[in-house]
Amino acid sequence: MIFGQELPETPLNPKKADVQTATICYLYPDHHAYFPNGTEAFVQRIKNLILLEFLKTEKSKNIIKATLSFIIEKDGSMREIKVFGPNKIFNQSVEKAISRINGKWIPARQAGNPLQSKIQIPFSMDLK
């Protein structure tokens, strides 16, 4: 089993954080799985679909963080969608938003053959 992570080439404390993903693939892929318009577009779609009416946060905490984890199948579909974070209502809202996204991912490939891979994306929302 091989674990891989793409690391940014920016300083450790950038002013604006980019979306970082970690891809876990069991073989050495020629390219990793990716969303057609980029991971940033995928995260933006999630943010647009999240329903926040039931979300409760502490008064001093306006930023909610979570980690998305899912498997990209060989056909580009997502399965085993899980969200890990301290706010359970936010986690459930993110899971529901992901299930409403219609687009498929481009699967990882090795020698032209599609591979199954696992994607992890740190995710945060500012509720100001």
Side-chain angles (χ1 to χ4, degrees):
M1 182 170 20
I2 295 175
F3 296 94
Q5 182 173 0
E6 297 175 13
L7 298 175
E9 294 181 7
T10 57
L12 292 176
N13 295 321
K15 291 182 181 178
K16 183 176 179 183
D18 293 326
V19 176
Q20 303 297 318
T21 61
T23 303
I24 301 169
C25 195
Y26 299 105
L27 299 172
Y28 297 101
D30 296 334
H31 73 79
H32 296 288
Y34 61 92
F35 197 69
N37 294 328
T39 306
E40 293 83 9
F42 178 73
V43 170
Q44 191 59 45
R45 278 192 185 180
I46 294 170
K47 287 182 179 181
N48 291 339
L49 293 171
I50 290 177
L51 302 174
L52 298 175
E53 63 246 11
F54 301 110
L55 188 61
K56 295 178 184 175
T57 61
E58 296 178 22
K59 291 182 181 179
S60 63
K61 296 184 180 180
N62 290 329
I63 297 177
I64 299 177
K65 295 182 179 183
T67 300
L68 313 177
S69 176
F70 51 92
I71 293 177
I72 304 297
E73 290 293 335
K74 293 178 181 182
D75 66 352
S77 62
M78 295 182 290
R79 73 173 175 90
E80 293 187 25
I81 299 168
K82 297 178 185 171
V83 182
F84 305 98
N87 191 315
K88 291 182 181 184
I89 295 172
F90 179 70
N91 296 349
Q92 291 170 351
S93 297
V94 172
E95 285 180 11
K96 288 177 184 176
I98 291 173
S99 67
R100 291 194 302 262
I101 293 178
N102 295 328
K104 288 190 173 188
W105 286 66
I106 308 299
R109 292 191 175 269
Q110 179 190 34
N113 299 317
L115 301 174
Q116 182 185 66
S117 58
K118 183 174 183 179
I119 304 288
Q120 293 179 338
I121 302 173
F123 186 80
S124 66
M125 281 191 76
D126 190 352
L127 303 176
K128 288 183 182 179

